[in-house]
Amino acid sequence: MSEAAEPAADIPPFRYTAALANEIELRWQDRWEERGTFHAPNPVGPLADPTHPRADAEKLYVLDMFPYPSGAGLHVGHPLGYIGTDSFARFQRMNGRNVLHAMGFDAFGLPAEQYAVQTGTHPRTTTVANIARYRAQLRRLGMGHDERRSVATIDVDFYRWTQWIFLQIFNSWYDPDARKARPIDELVAEFTAGTRPTPDGRPWSELTDVERRRIVDDHRLAYVSEAPVNWCPGLGTVLANEEVTPDGRSDRGNFPVFKRNLKQWMMRITAYGDRLLEDLDRLDWPEPIKLMQRNWIGRSTGAHIDFATAAEPIRVFTTRPDTVFGATYMVLAPEHALVDALVPAAWPEGTRPAWTGGHATPREAVESYRKAAGAKSDVERQAESREKTGVFVGAYATNPVNGAQIPIFIADYVLAGYGTGAIMAVPAQDERDWAFAEVFDLPIVRTVAPPEGFDGKAYTGDGPAINSARADGSLSLDGLGVAEAKAAIISWLEEHGHGAGAVTYRLRDWLFSRQRYWGEPFPIVYDANGQAIALPESMLPVELPEVDDFSPRTFDPNDADSEPETPLSRRKDWVEVELDLGDGPKRYTRETNVMPQWAGSCWYELRYLDPANPDRFVDPDNERYWMGPRSAGDCGGTDLYVGGAEHAVLHLLYARFWHKVLYDLGHVSSVEPFRKLFNQGMIQAYAYTDERGSYVQADEVIERDGGWFHGERPVRREYGKMGKSLRNVVTPDDMCAAYGADTFRLYEMSMGPLEVSRPWETRAVVGSYRFLQRVWRALVDENSGASRVVETPADDETRRLLHRTIDGARADMEAMRFNTAIAKLIELTNGLTRLSGTPREVAEPLVLMLAPFAPHIAEELWERLGHDESLTYVPYPVADPALLVAETVTYPVQINGKVRARVEVAVDAAEEEIRREALAAVAGSLGGREPRKVIVVPGRMVSVVA
RNA sequence: GCCGGGAUGGAGGAAUCGGCAGACUCGGAUGCCUCAAAAGCAUCUGCCCGAAAGGGCGUGCGGGUUCAAGUCCCGCUCCCGGCACCA
């Protein structure tokens, strides 16, 4: 029988127990809140405070990726990054910085909406409750957040500015000559003045209003366009690729999914491709993340080449125009617009049976192949990457450089969305083309000589061009390297009107509308002509209206031609409005899509700076102070941004894009939103399944005899996420109850480097608890509660240990190596246990160094040391350099790489003396022989070669 | 398949610039305290041989460079993350 709830009677009354920790923690959390301890003063506006001790200090903006407040609350994995940033922020406050650290909530999103569809509970109700829970949990962990700045994306005062930023983007165009976004009015002015030609060359004055409107809309950074999506009539929604199963059905409900075009709002992020790419060089981000963004943007240089056909010419993009003499066939994406015009009535004379797919006519073959390709999801098209499929369309194209007639195929390894959706196939220099050529027995002509001994198939490397000359001698690339050959062929193509040098990107424009309820409404109405019109700023916010039913209208699951009807579209009284937009009252209909969840996370870091500003999304002075460039050439942005690597591409790219638009339009002074990025690892956990494959409660599993058991039954262990369904969740609340928040924080920071993922292990938490107990015991007598701090100076050894600790801990803290900083604090503390009392000159710096990790116990001990004020703004200890230098150095002496002896010599000993001492120490091992070589590395070691 | 990252004791990890591998913590062992247990404290704890002294081996695997390699180079294996066959 265990009566664990009752503390044993003989525990000393003043021991640091979980109960005492909880009492201390709740008290200090109240005190911090009352005193506004973590309020960071702004330069201007309601949060300005010239009397604040850090009002004139150097600033530091520390940012976490804000969470989506899920119904399950936090588990121990979530706060890892938050504890890291809080520890860093607290350290930097002690270094005199004015630190801004706040936490908001990314609160629009699908889970609350789906819950609402199921239960009828308004997503706002659920979300607001979840946010309250998250706030309470974070407060309980002792986060030093400025709670005045805690915003949520669902707040009307927040999303009115999300809408405002949308309007800025809508009312802008990208000027490629200026390389920046400019107000759309300036474009109109240029057209009107005739300084910018219209697309078809007609004078602006001769165009109708609708024509003008169309030209302008084609330039906007936010625009409406047909975009291919996964339309699921059975659910009435568009699905993400990951929600579509490999056989083309919906994950939820198993309905058919159709890939088809729908009218969608798009953002012209591709206009910023080059700047998003170039400015990566100015960011202090992990190289792997930058590389992922570079690959995602995927800028490639090459050429467009036009291949003549019986119909219109086929334009291809290629990065290897130098290999055009080796183009022996062409491949179009099955969806390519030109395919229908190319297909003849019958197979041409001599068409090989293998090319027809067994069909009687090209039309049949094409349609059958398209159907098969259309039914495949993108995932499946990838999975089948090895087995090349395709079909001849029955037509030929002319290779412009040598006049060769080359067959045209369609194949799903060519994607409609990249480049021009068509390729010239050069099997000798491209592996996929080689594989396809092998399947269809197509000719292979090498145009780059592979190196001697090359026995592979396609050769993609550099080498002299071969077989690359026109018969009439007017063009020859032979002998040129790849780079020179590219330059030569591009100028030939340009001269003869067959093509031109070109750049393409992998990056595509951003699909920005969602056919859902729980998101920001667009500040857009449509007029009688169906033209999108931006609402004026004065009509913001467009509030999300209440609806009876949160689900979209569903259709017959097989009705591929159905059109989405969003929840908002059913509120006819909201959709139909009469407005005066400057030309008298008229009737309009509102946009009934909502924005994607990304919208709020694209700019929330700016709102933290000025959360209550009613006039602007952020005051320019506040933005410049917290995020502005620090020097010429600096890109500005937050000083630190911590979050998981799963956002490496989408969120971080979208947020950079919005920020750059705001910069171009003069609304912010920083070029980039996040100057420095740090990717924290994930806390993972073991889960256990029994013989039936059901999960068993993980904390009831015991390890014995090299296996795992739940009761008497053996269970299997798997490693991965923490989750309710896996029955392995451990919450911070559990840890606070068992040990207190300080122990929990300290443990998370000491488990390993912040950037590394690692398994959670509850039984190891006690190590951090014991450490805090030892610190407490060093300063407080457990039996009497009296101070154990003595005013006598520390002995020399203890003092040197202290200063080595300060020196090392400070360096570790600067570099966010919290685990090794904590190890050093433990060593210092362990060095105090042999003393009968703890000298104040050691106790005070120890408490201060502990404070970033375990702020509550540190505040409590600091108060017991006789200080009235919180230690939040007390300077972090500084080491005395004189005490860091040892008097002697112990040199290991190696013979042939193995340590055979050690010698201790004075720190300033001459090399000759070290050498003499070392040789004397290993004389026995050498047996009188002369060493062949002796290497003395000052301060390190001596190496003898026998 | 491609791209990126990683692999160190029973476990998490340390070694920051090529210079003593295993700091610190968990777990384990032994002892002190205790009627007993818990808690706490102390000592030990990479593997193998050995009673010990001592010796040998050792940072995923195989090579290489070097007086010296966890660290650098070449070739593999496995694990984790990302992916849009990107021409």
Side-chain angles (χ1 to χ4, degrees), chain A residues 296 319 382 415 418 506 770 902:
Chain A
W296 189 269
T319 58
Q382 265 180 74
L415 302 182
Y418 184 75
R506 226 174 80 147
R770 288 178 191 147
R902 286 167 208 285

PDB file of all heavy atoms in Angstrom, chain A residues 296 319 382 415 418 506 770 902, chain B residues 20 26 39 67 84-87:
ATOM      1  N   TRP A 296      13.112  24.899 -53.378  1.00  0.00           N
ATOM      2  CA  TRP A 296      11.682  25.100 -53.573  1.00  0.00           C
ATOM      3  C   TRP A 296      11.430  26.185 -54.623  1.00  0.00           C
ATOM      4  O   TRP A 296      10.583  26.037 -55.497  1.00  0.00           O
ATOM      5  CB  TRP A 296      11.026  25.484 -52.241  1.00  0.00           C
ATOM      6  CG  TRP A 296       9.533  25.496 -52.293  1.00  0.00           C
ATOM      7  CD1 TRP A 296       8.740  26.563 -52.594  1.00  0.00           C
ATOM      8  CD2 TRP A 296       8.663  24.393 -52.066  1.00  0.00           C
ATOM      9  NE1 TRP A 296       7.423  26.191 -52.556  1.00  0.00           N
ATOM     10  CE2 TRP A 296       7.343  24.864 -52.237  1.00  0.00           C
ATOM     11  CE3 TRP A 296       8.856  23.060 -51.731  1.00  0.00           C
ATOM     12  CZ2 TRP A 296       6.222  24.054 -52.087  1.00  0.00           C
ATOM     13  CZ3 TRP A 296       7.748  22.239 -51.577  1.00  0.00           C
ATOM     14  CH2 TRP A 296       6.451  22.737 -51.749  1.00  0.00           C
ATOM     15  N   THR A 319      17.095  23.453 -69.581  1.00  0.00           N
ATOM     16  CA  THR A 319      18.314  23.990 -68.974  1.00  0.00           C
ATOM     17  C   THR A 319      19.535  23.593 -69.798  1.00  0.00           C
ATOM     18  O   THR A 319      20.630  24.044 -69.520  1.00  0.00           O
ATOM     19  CB  THR A 319      18.515  23.448 -67.545  1.00  0.00           C
ATOM     20  OG1 THR A 319      18.567  22.038 -67.601  1.00  0.00           O
ATOM     21  CG2 THR A 319      17.413  23.907 -66.618  1.00  0.00           C
ATOM     22  N   GLN A 382       4.256  10.129 -58.768  1.00  0.00           N
ATOM     23  CA  GLN A 382       5.634  10.078 -58.258  1.00  0.00           C
ATOM     24  C   GLN A 382       6.068   8.657 -57.957  1.00  0.00           C
ATOM     25  O   GLN A 382       7.157   8.252 -58.283  1.00  0.00           O
ATOM     26  CB  GLN A 382       5.690  10.813 -56.927  1.00  0.00           C
ATOM     27  CG  GLN A 382       6.106  12.207 -57.005  1.00  0.00           C
ATOM     28  CD  GLN A 382       6.084  12.741 -55.604  1.00  0.00           C
ATOM     29  OE1 GLN A 382       6.956  12.410 -54.806  1.00  0.00           O
ATOM     30  NE2 GLN A 382       5.084  13.511 -55.278  1.00  0.00           N
ATOM     31  N   LEU A 415       5.217  17.415 -66.350  1.00  0.00           N
ATOM     32  CA  LEU A 415       4.149  18.045 -65.568  1.00  0.00           C
ATOM     33  C   LEU A 415       3.668  19.312 -66.243  1.00  0.00           C
ATOM     34  O   LEU A 415       4.470  20.118 -66.718  1.00  0.00           O
ATOM     35  CB  LEU A 415       4.666  18.398 -64.158  1.00  0.00           C
ATOM     36  CG  LEU A 415       5.200  17.231 -63.346  1.00  0.00           C
ATOM     37  CD1 LEU A 415       5.615  17.713 -61.967  1.00  0.00           C
ATOM     38  CD2 LEU A 415       4.168  16.132 -63.230  1.00  0.00           C
ATOM     39  N   TYR A 418       4.978  22.880 -64.706  1.00  0.00           N
ATOM     40  CA  TYR A 418       6.351  23.357 -64.634  1.00  0.00           C
ATOM     41  C   TYR A 418       6.866  23.732 -66.007  1.00  0.00           C
ATOM     42  O   TYR A 418       6.627  23.008 -66.984  1.00  0.00           O
ATOM     43  CB  TYR A 418       7.267  22.293 -64.014  1.00  0.00           C
ATOM     44  CG  TYR A 418       8.667  22.818 -63.861  1.00  0.00           C
ATOM     45  CD1 TYR A 418       8.959  23.731 -62.849  1.00  0.00           C
ATOM     46  CD2 TYR A 418       9.663  22.478 -64.755  1.00  0.00           C
ATOM     47  CE1 TYR A 418      10.212  24.268 -62.731  1.00  0.00           C
ATOM     48  CE2 TYR A 418      10.929  23.006 -64.629  1.00  0.00           C
ATOM     49  CZ  TYR A 418      11.203  23.907 -63.626  1.00  0.00           C
ATOM     50  OH  TYR A 418      12.447  24.445 -63.511  1.00  0.00           O
ATOM     51  N   ARG A 506      10.585  26.840 -60.201  1.00  0.00           N
ATOM     52  CA  ARG A 506       9.752  25.749 -59.733  1.00  0.00           C
ATOM     53  C   ARG A 506       8.571  26.293 -58.931  1.00  0.00           C
ATOM     54  O   ARG A 506       7.500  25.733 -58.909  1.00  0.00           O
ATOM     55  CB  ARG A 506      10.612  24.883 -58.818  1.00  0.00           C
ATOM     56  CG  ARG A 506      10.520  23.432 -59.053  1.00  0.00           C
ATOM     57  CD  ARG A 506      11.537  22.782 -58.168  1.00  0.00           C
ATOM     58  NE  ARG A 506      11.008  22.693 -56.832  1.00  0.00           N
ATOM     59  CZ  ARG A 506      11.299  21.703 -56.009  1.00  0.00           C
ATOM     60  NH1 ARG A 506      12.129  20.772 -56.384  1.00  0.00           N
ATOM     61  NH2 ARG A 506      10.775  21.658 -54.811  1.00  0.00           N
ATOM     62  N   ARG A 770      16.602  16.667  -8.266  1.00  0.00           N
ATOM     63  CA  ARG A 770      17.676  16.508  -7.268  1.00  0.00           C
ATOM     64  C   ARG A 770      18.670  17.661  -7.326  1.00  0.00           C
ATOM     65  O   ARG A 770      19.168  18.124  -6.312  1.00  0.00           O
ATOM     66  CB  ARG A 770      18.425  15.195  -7.511  1.00  0.00           C
ATOM     67  CG  ARG A 770      17.621  13.972  -7.138  1.00  0.00           C
ATOM     68  CD  ARG A 770      18.408  12.722  -7.448  1.00  0.00           C
ATOM     69  NE  ARG A 770      17.559  11.546  -7.336  1.00  0.00           N
ATOM     70  CZ  ARG A 770      17.694  10.454  -8.079  1.00  0.00           C
ATOM     71  NH1 ARG A 770      18.667  10.378  -8.981  1.00  0.00           N
ATOM     72  NH2 ARG A 770      16.884   9.428  -7.927  1.00  0.00           N
ATOM     73  N   ARG A 902      51.717  11.070 -17.759  1.00  0.00           N
ATOM     74  CA  ARG A 902      51.286  12.462 -17.663  1.00  0.00           C
ATOM     75  C   ARG A 902      52.349  13.231 -16.895  1.00  0.00           C
ATOM     76  O   ARG A 902      52.942  12.695 -15.961  1.00  0.00           O
ATOM     77  CB  ARG A 902      49.981  12.556 -16.881  1.00  0.00           C
ATOM     78  CG  ARG A 902      48.794  12.078 -17.677  1.00  0.00           C
ATOM     79  CD  ARG A 902      47.574  11.895 -16.779  1.00  0.00           C
ATOM     80  NE  ARG A 902      46.719  10.870 -17.349  1.00  0.00           N
ATOM     81  CZ  ARG A 902      45.949  11.071 -18.399  1.00  0.00           C
ATOM     82  NH1 ARG A 902      45.917  12.255 -18.987  1.00  0.00           N
ATOM     83  NH2 ARG A 902      45.218  10.115 -18.886  1.00  0.00           N
TER      84      ARG A 902
ATOM     85  P     C B  20      42.205  15.191 -26.880  1.00  0.00           P
ATOM     86  OP1   C B  20      41.609  14.212 -27.803  1.00  0.00           O
ATOM     87  OP2   C B  20      41.368  16.153 -26.155  1.00  0.00           O
ATOM     88  O5'   C B  20      43.077  14.422 -25.810  1.00  0.00           O
ATOM     89  C5'   C B  20      43.958  13.378 -26.211  1.00  0.00           C
ATOM     90  C4'   C B  20      43.984  12.339 -25.126  1.00  0.00           C
ATOM     91  O4'   C B  20      44.523  12.947 -23.925  1.00  0.00           O
ATOM     92  C3'   C B  20      42.606  11.798 -24.748  1.00  0.00           C
ATOM     93  O3'   C B  20      42.735  10.433 -24.372  1.00  0.00           O
ATOM     94  C2'   C B  20      42.224  12.630 -23.537  1.00  0.00           C
ATOM     95  O2'   C B  20      41.342  11.985 -22.665  1.00  0.00           O
ATOM     96  C1'   C B  20      43.592  12.795 -22.878  1.00  0.00           C
ATOM     97  N1    C B  20      43.674  13.985 -22.033  1.00  0.00           N
ATOM     98  C2    C B  20      43.949  13.823 -20.681  1.00  0.00           C
ATOM     99  O2    C B  20      44.133  12.674 -20.237  1.00  0.00           O
ATOM    100  N3    C B  20      44.006  14.897 -19.886  1.00  0.00           N
ATOM    101  C4    C B  20      43.792  16.102 -20.393  1.00  0.00           C
ATOM    102  N4    C B  20      43.865  17.138 -19.561  1.00  0.00           N
ATOM    103  C5    C B  20      43.502  16.303 -21.763  1.00  0.00           C
ATOM    104  C6    C B  20      43.447  15.220 -22.547  1.00  0.00           C
ATOM    105  P     C B  26      20.844  11.557 -11.851  1.00  0.00           P
ATOM    106  OP1   C B  26      20.071  11.833 -10.636  1.00  0.00           O
ATOM    107  OP2   C B  26      22.209  10.976 -11.751  1.00  0.00           O
ATOM    108  O5'   C B  26      20.003  10.581 -12.796  1.00  0.00           O
ATOM    109  C5'   C B  26      18.650  10.888 -13.122  1.00  0.00           C
ATOM    110  C4'   C B  26      18.151   9.914 -14.144  1.00  0.00           C
ATOM    111  O4'   C B  26      19.006   9.959 -15.313  1.00  0.00           O
ATOM    112  C3'   C B  26      18.191   8.445 -13.729  1.00  0.00           C
ATOM    113  O3'   C B  26      17.111   8.091 -12.901  1.00  0.00           O
ATOM    114  C2'   C B  26      18.146   7.767 -15.085  1.00  0.00           C
ATOM    115  O2'   C B  26      16.844   7.814 -15.625  1.00  0.00           O
ATOM    116  C1'   C B  26      19.064   8.671 -15.908  1.00  0.00           C
ATOM    117  N1    C B  26      20.466   8.190 -15.895  1.00  0.00           N
ATOM    118  C2    C B  26      20.771   7.060 -16.673  1.00  0.00           C
ATOM    119  O2    C B  26      19.875   6.529 -17.333  1.00  0.00           O
ATOM    120  N3    C B  26      22.036   6.585 -16.671  1.00  0.00           N
ATOM    121  C4    C B  26      22.979   7.190 -15.939  1.00  0.00           C
ATOM    122  N4    C B  26      24.213   6.684 -15.984  1.00  0.00           N
ATOM    123  C5    C B  26      22.696   8.336 -15.139  1.00  0.00           C
ATOM    124  C6    C B  26      21.433   8.797 -15.146  1.00  0.00           C
ATOM    125  P     A B  39      13.873   6.423  -3.090  1.00  0.00           P
ATOM    126  OP1   A B  39      13.528   6.686  -4.496  1.00  0.00           O
ATOM    127  OP2   A B  39      14.990   5.529  -2.753  1.00  0.00           O
ATOM    128  O5'   A B  39      14.124   7.819  -2.356  1.00  0.00           O
ATOM    129  C5'   A B  39      13.192   8.884  -2.510  1.00  0.00           C
ATOM    130  C4'   A B  39      13.508   9.977  -1.517  1.00  0.00           C
ATOM    131  O4'   A B  39      13.367   9.454  -0.170  1.00  0.00           O
ATOM    132  C3'   A B  39      14.932  10.494  -1.558  1.00  0.00           C
ATOM    133  O3'   A B  39      15.142  11.428  -2.592  1.00  0.00           O
ATOM    134  C2'   A B  39      15.065  11.099  -0.165  1.00  0.00           C
ATOM    135  O2'   A B  39      14.387  12.326  -0.081  1.00  0.00           O
ATOM    136  C1'   A B  39      14.331  10.053   0.666  1.00  0.00           C
ATOM    137  N9    A B  39      15.264   9.020   1.135  1.00  0.00           N
ATOM    138  C8    A B  39      15.471   7.764   0.618  1.00  0.00           C
ATOM    139  N7    A B  39      16.381   7.071   1.251  1.00  0.00           N
ATOM    140  C5    A B  39      16.806   7.918   2.253  1.00  0.00           C
ATOM    141  C6    A B  39      17.763   7.779   3.270  1.00  0.00           C
ATOM    142  N6    A B  39      18.495   6.685   3.451  1.00  0.00           N
ATOM    143  N1    A B  39      17.954   8.830   4.104  1.00  0.00           N
ATOM    144  C2    A B  39      17.218   9.938   3.917  1.00  0.00           C
ATOM    145  N3    A B  39      16.291  10.184   2.997  1.00  0.00           N
ATOM    146  C4    A B  39      16.133   9.128   2.191  1.00  0.00           C
ATOM    147  P     C B  67      53.135  12.060 -40.153  1.00  0.00           P
ATOM    148  OP1   C B  67      54.311  12.939 -40.197  1.00  0.00           O
ATOM    149  OP2   C B  67      53.065  10.855 -41.001  1.00  0.00           O
ATOM    150  O5'   C B  67      52.911  11.595 -38.641  1.00  0.00           O
ATOM    151  C5'   C B  67      53.731  10.568 -38.088  1.00  0.00           C
ATOM    152  C4'   C B  67      53.443  10.471 -36.607  1.00  0.00           C
ATOM    153  O4'   C B  67      53.891  11.692 -35.951  1.00  0.00           O
ATOM    154  C3'   C B  67      51.977  10.376 -36.233  1.00  0.00           C
ATOM    155  O3'   C B  67      51.494   9.060 -36.329  1.00  0.00           O
ATOM    156  C2'   C B  67      51.988  10.886 -34.801  1.00  0.00           C
ATOM    157  O2'   C B  67      52.442   9.916 -33.895  1.00  0.00           O
ATOM    158  C1'   C B  67      53.031  12.012 -34.887  1.00  0.00           C
ATOM    159  N1    C B  67      52.421  13.335 -35.151  1.00  0.00           N
ATOM    160  C2    C B  67      51.716  13.968 -34.122  1.00  0.00           C
ATOM    161  O2    C B  67      51.591  13.393 -33.038  1.00  0.00           O
ATOM    162  N3    C B  67      51.175  15.193 -34.336  1.00  0.00           N
ATOM    163  C4    C B  67      51.334  15.781 -35.521  1.00  0.00           C
ATOM    164  N4    C B  67      50.785  16.982 -35.681  1.00  0.00           N
ATOM    165  C5    C B  67      52.036  15.166 -36.585  1.00  0.00           C
ATOM    166  C6    C B  67      52.567  13.959 -36.356  1.00  0.00           C
ATOM    167  P     A B  84       5.319  16.843 -52.963  1.00  0.00           P
ATOM    168  OP1   A B  84       4.214  17.817 -52.979  1.00  0.00           O
ATOM    169  OP2   A B  84       5.182  15.599 -52.177  1.00  0.00           O
ATOM    170  O5'   A B  84       5.723  16.459 -54.440  1.00  0.00           O
ATOM    171  C5'   A B  84       4.746  16.251 -55.439  1.00  0.00           C
ATOM    172  C4'   A B  84       5.187  16.899 -56.726  1.00  0.00           C
ATOM    173  O4'   A B  84       4.999  18.330 -56.651  1.00  0.00           O
ATOM    174  C3'   A B  84       6.658  16.712 -57.065  1.00  0.00           C
ATOM    175  O3'   A B  84       6.826  16.703 -58.472  1.00  0.00           O
ATOM    176  C2'   A B  84       7.319  17.969 -56.514  1.00  0.00           C
ATOM    177  O2'   A B  84       8.517  18.329 -57.122  1.00  0.00           O
ATOM    178  C1'   A B  84       6.229  18.999 -56.800  1.00  0.00           C
ATOM    179  N9    A B  84       6.221  20.134 -55.862  1.00  0.00           N
ATOM    180  C8    A B  84       6.088  20.090 -54.498  1.00  0.00           C
ATOM    181  N7    A B  84       6.082  21.271 -53.933  1.00  0.00           N
ATOM    182  C5    A B  84       6.227  22.141 -55.000  1.00  0.00           C
ATOM    183  C6    A B  84       6.297  23.526 -55.072  1.00  0.00           C
ATOM    184  N6    A B  84       6.218  24.325 -54.007  1.00  0.00           N
ATOM    185  N1    A B  84       6.450  24.078 -56.287  1.00  0.00           N
ATOM    186  C2    A B  84       6.511  23.288 -57.358  1.00  0.00           C
ATOM    187  N3    A B  84       6.464  21.970 -57.414  1.00  0.00           N
ATOM    188  C4    A B  84       6.316  21.455 -56.209  1.00  0.00           C
ATOM    189  P     C B  85       6.679  15.365 -59.316  1.00  0.00           P
ATOM    190  OP1   C B  85       5.737  15.560 -60.412  1.00  0.00           O
ATOM    191  OP2   C B  85       6.504  14.263 -58.341  1.00  0.00           O
ATOM    192  O5'   C B  85       8.138  15.242 -59.957  1.00  0.00           O
ATOM    193  C5'   C B  85       9.248  14.845 -59.185  1.00  0.00           C
ATOM    194  C4'   C B  85      10.251  14.168 -60.081  1.00  0.00           C
ATOM    195  O4'   C B  85       9.680  12.904 -60.509  1.00  0.00           O
ATOM    196  C3'   C B  85      10.572  14.951 -61.346  1.00  0.00           C
ATOM    197  O3'   C B  85      11.919  14.752 -61.708  1.00  0.00           O
ATOM    198  C2'   C B  85       9.718  14.276 -62.399  1.00  0.00           C
ATOM    199  O2'   C B  85      10.197  14.390 -63.701  1.00  0.00           O
ATOM    200  C1'   C B  85       9.809  12.821 -61.901  1.00  0.00           C
ATOM    201  N1    C B  85       8.730  11.999 -62.415  1.00  0.00           N
ATOM    202  C2    C B  85       9.065  10.891 -63.193  1.00  0.00           C
ATOM    203  O2    C B  85      10.264  10.648 -63.382  1.00  0.00           O
ATOM    204  N3    C B  85       8.087  10.124 -63.715  1.00  0.00           N
ATOM    205  C4    C B  85       6.828  10.434 -63.480  1.00  0.00           C
ATOM    206  N4    C B  85       5.911   9.658 -64.013  1.00  0.00           N
ATOM    207  C5    C B  85       6.461  11.560 -62.680  1.00  0.00           C
ATOM    208  C6    C B  85       7.434  12.307 -62.182  1.00  0.00           C
ATOM    209  P     C B  86      12.987  15.686 -61.134  1.00  0.00           P
ATOM    210  OP1   C B  86      14.277  15.246 -61.646  1.00  0.00           O
ATOM    211  OP2   C B  86      12.702  15.812 -59.694  1.00  0.00           O
ATOM    212  O5'   C B  86      12.638  17.084 -61.788  1.00  0.00           O
ATOM    213  C5'   C B  86      13.087  17.400 -63.095  1.00  0.00           C
ATOM    214  C4'   C B  86      13.060  18.896 -63.290  1.00  0.00           C
ATOM    215  O4'   C B  86      11.699  19.339 -63.183  1.00  0.00           O
ATOM    216  C3'   C B  86      13.827  19.677 -62.222  1.00  0.00           C
ATOM    217  O3'   C B  86      14.308  20.869 -62.827  1.00  0.00           O
ATOM    218  C2'   C B  86      12.752  20.021 -61.204  1.00  0.00           C
ATOM    219  O2'   C B  86      13.036  21.169 -60.463  1.00  0.00           O
ATOM    220  C1'   C B  86      11.552  20.255 -62.130  1.00  0.00           C
ATOM    221  N1    C B  86      10.263  19.976 -61.504  1.00  0.00           N
ATOM    222  C2    C B  86       9.478  21.026 -61.051  1.00  0.00           C
ATOM    223  O2    C B  86       9.887  22.178 -61.191  1.00  0.00           O
ATOM    224  N3    C B  86       8.291  20.767 -60.482  1.00  0.00           N
ATOM    225  C4    C B  86       7.878  19.514 -60.353  1.00  0.00           C
ATOM    226  N4    C B  86       6.699  19.302 -59.789  1.00  0.00           N
ATOM    227  C5    C B  86       8.660  18.426 -60.797  1.00  0.00           C
ATOM    228  C6    C B  86       9.839  18.689 -61.357  1.00  0.00           C
ATOM    229  P     A B  87      15.846  20.931 -63.183  1.00  0.00           P
ATOM    230  OP1   A B  87      16.609  20.166 -62.215  1.00  0.00           O
ATOM    231  OP2   A B  87      16.080  22.364 -63.359  1.00  0.00           O
ATOM    232  O5'   A B  87      16.009  20.227 -64.591  1.00  0.00           O
ATOM    233  C5'   A B  87      15.891  20.944 -65.771  1.00  0.00           C
ATOM    234  C4'   A B  87      15.718  20.002 -66.915  1.00  0.00           C
ATOM    235  O4'   A B  87      14.589  19.144 -66.642  1.00  0.00           O
ATOM    236  C3'   A B  87      15.397  20.666 -68.239  1.00  0.00           C
ATOM    237  O3'   A B  87      16.557  21.093 -68.926  1.00  0.00           O
ATOM    238  C2'   A B  87      14.649  19.584 -68.975  1.00  0.00           C
ATOM    239  O2'   A B  87      15.554  18.677 -69.526  1.00  0.00           O
ATOM    240  C1'   A B  87      13.879  18.933 -67.845  1.00  0.00           C
ATOM    241  N9    A B  87      12.532  19.494 -67.678  1.00  0.00           N
ATOM    242  C8    A B  87      12.104  20.760 -67.938  1.00  0.00           C
ATOM    243  N7    A B  87      10.832  20.957 -67.712  1.00  0.00           N
ATOM    244  C5    A B  87      10.393  19.735 -67.254  1.00  0.00           C
ATOM    245  C6    A B  87       9.144  19.266 -66.839  1.00  0.00           C
ATOM    246  N6    A B  87       8.058  20.015 -66.807  1.00  0.00           N
ATOM    247  N1    A B  87       9.055  17.993 -66.437  1.00  0.00           N
ATOM    248  C2    A B  87      10.152  17.231 -66.472  1.00  0.00           C
ATOM    249  N3    A B  87      11.390  17.546 -66.840  1.00  0.00           N
ATOM    250  C4    A B  87      11.436  18.821 -67.225  1.00  0.00           C
TER     251        A B  87
END
